[in-house]
Amino acid sequence: MPIYEYYCPKCKNEFELMRPMSQVGKPVLCPKCGRKSQKLVSASASKTGSYVQPPARSAFRQKP
């Protein structure tokens, strides 16, 4: 299951959730305040050999 990053505009909380791809479009509630959160766009890491290599530059994340 992929890990998705979310942002709560109400309490400014950023958090991650592991969700099945079939649920990616469904709403997510903030674990702090319980309000609806928005999914962030982020970079992904890639596996080369026996270790995970992070992106060469900082992750692109866009807060709504």
Side-chain angles (χ1 to χ4, degrees):
M1 276 192 284
I3 298 173
Y4 296 99
E5 292 179 295
Y6 293 91
Y7 173 74
C8 176
K10 174 73 176 172
C11 68
K12 312 286 191 256
N13 182 32
E14 288 186 32
F15 59 97
E16 297 177 345
L17 279 180
M18 188 180 301
R19 304 182 78 193
M21 290 176 68
S22 62
Q23 293 182 0
V24 71
K26 295 184 180 179
V28 173
L29 301 179
C30 175
K32 275 190 174 179
C33 70
R35 299 282 181 128
K36 186 177 173 182
S37 299
Q38 299 170 343
K39 192 170 85 137
L40 296 175
V41 176
S42 59
S44 61
S46 62
K47 186 172 182 179
T48 56
S50 60
Y51 64 95
V52 175
Q53 181 176 358
R57 56 185 178 178
S58 62
F60 168 77
R61 292 176 31 192
Q62 181 180 14
K63 290 182 184 174

